Amino acid sequence: MDEALLRSLTPGVLSVLVRRGADFAAAEDAVQDALVEAVRVWPANPPRDAKGWLVTVAWRRFLDAARADASRRRREDRVEEEPAPGPSPAVDDTLQLYFLCAHPSLTPSSAVALTLRAVGGLTTRQIARAYLVPEATMAQRISRAKRTLSGVRFDQPGDVSTVLRVLYLVFNEGYSGEVDLAAEAIRLTRRLAAAIDHPEVAGLLALMLLHHARRATRTAPDGSLVPLAEQDRGRWDTASIAEGVRVLQAALARDRLGEFQAQAAIAALHADARTAEETDWVQIVEWYDELARLTQSPVVRLNRAVAIGEADGPRAGLAALAALDDSLPRHTAVAAYLHERDGDLTTAARLYAEAAHKAPDLAERDHLTRQAARLNARRRP
């Protein structure tokens, strides 16, 4: 396989798709899929017209993705912007599609990636960012999943845990990303909770409701991020908080703790505090200990370091942070915050500026840049 040839053809193929009417991001996804297919097919059956072959396959991939996106948007149009409390009355096949994409022949990570792309409507770039892997790696994973399913019967739906992971990631992207999918994720999780008696389904629903309750206060009118401690708690949705707490308590009473219940418990403690200063950080650290035990996730341990910094002081938080890999996303931002809490404004300003360069999106980069500028202004005589 001539990788140099593929690289040289990529800009031209991308240009053709854009001229045909594809938006640039969707065209990039389609071309990436075509390149992965070329790597698979060309060694045994090289085309006579390499560029023409890539254009044809990429355009088909784009059309498939556009149809899937249009179907998703039609489903979303049937749902009000904000999810109503109680059982969801809507009836459609979306949840069934989630289970079918989570096929037993796929690994859980591949099933999640495929479902996010084919049903959730996320781009390959968004999925790669959620998984903390390069976009090309995620494109290959999705393409392999498609090939695996191309010859199987869809009579064996996947397991609940895989579908929950998909719904969780769809909600996170809708809550903080480029596409508004949060309400749809809540609607589908309500339907799943009504159909399946499973404490982790309830835990995920509670987590979504508790996070969604704060949505209106997460950004300022100019679009800038508002940290949790600075949000106007009087504008939080108390009905969603009450429902989330009620659902969580019923799940915890079954004594089958899972990661979504633990995350929801942390969110409930934040929601319960009338002010940021009244937050029960000691309990939050205990829940992060449980969550770390359940998931072994370095990102959980990063958040735990912040909680320790609040409960036991910034130096204790920095000590917990020192045990973690400094290449973790947002590691530098957490270090900046803890150094600021410890009074080291020079180090904190430098780290905020470094974190801004590593930020995954514009809103976060702007927020971290403002934090650095604020501390630099305080240090001037």
Side-chain angles (χ1 to χ4, degrees), residues 57-248:
V57 173
W59 184 246
R60 287 173 181 166
R61 293 291 193 274
F62 166 73
L63 292 177
D64 287 345
R67 292 188 191 103
D69 187 61
S71 296
R72 175 183 62 78
R73 290 185 185 279
R74 284 195 297 271
R75 291 192 297 270
E76 290 177 0
D77 287 343
R78 296 197 295 265
V79 184
E80 293 182 356
E81 183 176 350
E82 291 299 321
S88 171
V91 176
D92 60 51
D93 62 355
T94 309
L95 197 56
Q96 181 183 6
L97 290 175
Y98 273 67
F99 273 94
L100 291 176
C101 284
H103 197 272
S105 63
L106 297 176
T107 64
S109 60
S110 294
V112 170
L114 176 63
T115 313
L116 289 171
R117 186 71 184 91
V119 187
L122 273 61
T123 65
T124 304
R125 181 180 294 109
Q126 289 171 314
I127 302 167
R129 187 175 64 197
Y131 268 88
L132 311 179
V133 299
E135 186 177 352
T137 300
M138 184 52 66
Q140 291 175 343
R141 184 179 299 176
I142 294 170
S143 294
R144 284 196 300 269
K146 291 177 180 177
R147 290 198 302 271
T148 299
L149 293 184
S150 63
V152 302
R153 291 172 56 86
F154 283 94
D155 55 0
Q156 293 180 281
D159 64 6
V160 174
S161 62
T162 300
V163 173
L164 289 178
R165 179 63 51 189
V166 175
L167 290 168
Y168 174 68
L169 291 174
V170 169
F171 176 82
N172 280 346
E173 191 61 41
Y175 186 62
S176 61
E178 303 165 7
V179 183
D180 186 357
L181 297 168
E184 173 71 350
I186 292 175
R187 183 184 74 85
L188 292 173
T189 306
R190 284 194 194 282
R191 290 197 63 210
L192 187 57
I196 299 176
D197 184 18
H198 192 296
E200 272 294 81
V201 176
L204 179 58
L205 178 58
L207 176 63
M208 289 178 174
L209 291 168
L210 290 163
H211 277 304
H212 204 69
R214 304 199 299 258
R215 183 173 188 171
T217 64
R218 293 185 67 253
T219 55
D222 62 1
S224 59
L225 294 180
V226 180
L228 176 60
E230 299 172 21
Q231 290 174 13
D232 180 359
R233 297 177 182 230
R235 295 176 57 210
W236 287 358
D237 183 349
T238 54
S240 290
I241 291 173
E243 184 186 4
V245 170
R246 186 168 62 250
V247 171
L248 173 63

